[in-house]
Amino acid sequence: MKVALITGITGQDGSYLAELLLEKGYMVHGIKRRSSLFNTDRIDHLYQDPHHPKQRLKLHYGDLTDSMNLTRIIEECQPDEIYNLGAMSHVKVSFDTPEYVGNVDGLGTLRILEAVRLLGLEKKTRIYQASTSELYGGLAENKNERGFYDENSPFYPRSPYGVAKIYGFWITKNYREAYNMFACNGILFNHESPRRGETFVTRKITRATARIALGLQDKVYLGNLDAKRDWGHAKDYVRMMWMILQADKAEDWVIATGKTTTVREFVRMSFAEVGVELEFKGKGVDEKALVKKCNNPEYQIEIGKEVLSVDPSYFRPTEVDLLIGDPTKAKEKLGWVPDYDLKDLVEDMMRSDIKLMKKDQYLKNGGYTTLNYFE
Ligand code: NAP
Ligand code: GDD
């Protein structure tokens, strides 16, 4: 049985990847942080009975800032594959905690690579490093002749997060070249899902749209509506992480959809899912979105209601204005074909958030339900 170790297993990608590897018959080890509240919501459905003899998911307490802990876990698991997904992954928050981000997202990667090397596992263990499109920084002049970022485009990170991740990128490449390790970077563009953290822009929008439609919230405040992102579905992207480690050769790969969309358009698409047409008025910090039409009898929102304003506190000291990736190499060499496009993604997130918020509304009105009633 193949053995995998996932750092960041409690996160969006870690949870989908654990599902995928369990389906493929792997023994899956995951590192979770000690926290004062339960933090395993996203993987609880995979972890029914820790004492069952056939349980193939095992969690270990740990942290990417603790080398001894990481080395001990890797020695215990003897993994065939390590997926290093653990990170402080919020770009805006990285401006508030730059040193911590350097330690976790940058040096954390080194700790994993060095543990594998010191334990003499460099021939056995393949390593996936969660690199990011934030490395490119959105500089127009660095796109290729076709207008995309690809594996050869120069990097120009624009946040402490991006700078820490660039260390992770290069140290992974260096260990591959210096010690002949099977260590690869997946340079992933933004990927979202119903399990996306609530403070990333897509999930903030789909949650707020659902709550506004159900009368639980009046409006949402966002930052830069002009920012453009290449958004895919996390399920498609974790499949690619696995494919990267099954390749014949260790390399770095761009994973993206090749399309880019503004935050404003994502808002429009989310409201369209509940039958609401929006009109955007004003510019910059004065921009607002108002309800123009409401075509769904289930959600009665008054015409002219203001449902979105800009709050400059969400602006970043330095912004990445535009991301668009070229996944040609992954498609041609590994045969990656994504199942979801942006419309499917928005539908999936909205369906899930409407369900979740209906449960909220029901409970608020004094109803009682078991956790899965609305699933
Ligand atoms: P996420 O939902 O924020 O999950 C991050 C995971 O890392 C969580 O399990 C978190 O634990 C864990 N973690 C945080 N600090 C840690 C520490 N000090 N030690 C050990 N674990 C720690 O992120 P994601 O969206 O799944 O992304 C997965 C990885 O891909 C990240 O490295 C991210 O930077 C990178 N990435 C993401 C995207 C994207 O669009 N999603 C794109 C490119 C790259 P808690 O649950 O306890 O917080
Ligand atoms: N979070 C957030 N909140 N972003 C907002 C808001 C808001 O209220 N309003 C506008 N935005 C804009 C941000 O300024 C940014 O340009 C864009 O929406 C996307 O922001 P996020 O969803 O926070 O994601 P990100 O692109 O900064 O970072 C994500 O993708 C990276 C890959 O490119 C994260 O998942 C990173 O970990 C990942 O590496």
Side-chain angles (χ1 to χ4, degrees), residues 43 54 142 184 198 225 233 236 357:
I43 49 170
K54 289 204 171 140
N142 287 344
C184 310
E198 290 86 349
L225 302 180
H233 197 298
D236 283 328
M357 299 311 156

Side-chain angles (χ1 to χ4, degrees), residues 13 66 94 97 114 150 157 167 189 193 198 201 222 235 252 256 269 301 310 350 355 359 369:
D13 291 3
D66 183 340
S94 79
T97 59
E114 186 63 357
D150 64 21
Y167 179 87
F189 283 64
S193 74
E198 290 86 349
V201 79
L222 295 176
K235 277 191 182 173
D252 303 323
M269 290 174 76
I301 315 181
V310 171
M350 278 305 301
K355 221 183 274 176
K359 188 161 75 185
T369 177

Side-chain angles (χ1 to χ4, degrees), residues 89 132-133 161 190 196 199 201 204 223-224 227 229 316 319:
S89 71
T132 163
S133 47
Y161 168 80
N190 297 49
R196 184 58 144 154
T199 60
V201 79
K204 186 171 167 185
N224 180 6
R229 288 292 181 274
R316 292 157 186 202
E319 174 66 292

